[in-house]
């Protein structure tokens, strides 16, 4: 396992349906350094695996914000 790969579970406010899920997953998943992005609608979470040498949680948060949702 690459030591630069970290997995985070992020709480996101405002996601309510499959459209929200897809919007967040696509926005975050298309960022460089993001290996996977998966939303759990029931838990209101975004689970990401990121390469911390290429991206940061701040960039993830900004991508979520741009879709109109809020990281808490
Ligand atoms: Cu929705």
């Amino acid at each position: 396992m690459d030591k630069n790969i970290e997995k985070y579970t992020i709480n996101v406010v405002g996601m309510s349906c499959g459209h929200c899920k897809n919007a967040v997953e696509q926005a975050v998943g298309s960022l460089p350094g993001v290996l996977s992005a998966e939303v759990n609608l029931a838990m209101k979470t975004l689970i990401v695996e990121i390469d911390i040498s290429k991206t940061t949680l701040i960039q993830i948060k900004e991508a979520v914000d741009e879709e109109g949702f809020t990281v808490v």
Side-chain angles (χ1 to χ4, degrees), residues 5-6 9 20 23-26 31 43 53 58-59 68 70:
I5 308 300
E6 296 280 355
T9 300
C20 302
V24 170
E25 287 177 348
Q26 284 184 16
L31 295 173
M43 302 293 289
S53 72
I58 292 167
Q59 286 169 291
T70 307

Side-chain angles (χ1 to χ4, degrees), residues 50-66:
I50 65 174
D51 183 336
I52 57 172
S53 72
K54 297 197 181 108
T55 191
T56 65
L57 281 179
I58 292 167
Q59 286 169 291
I60 306 291
K61 179 185 184 306
E62 285 173 354
V64 172
D65 285 348
E66 278 176 22

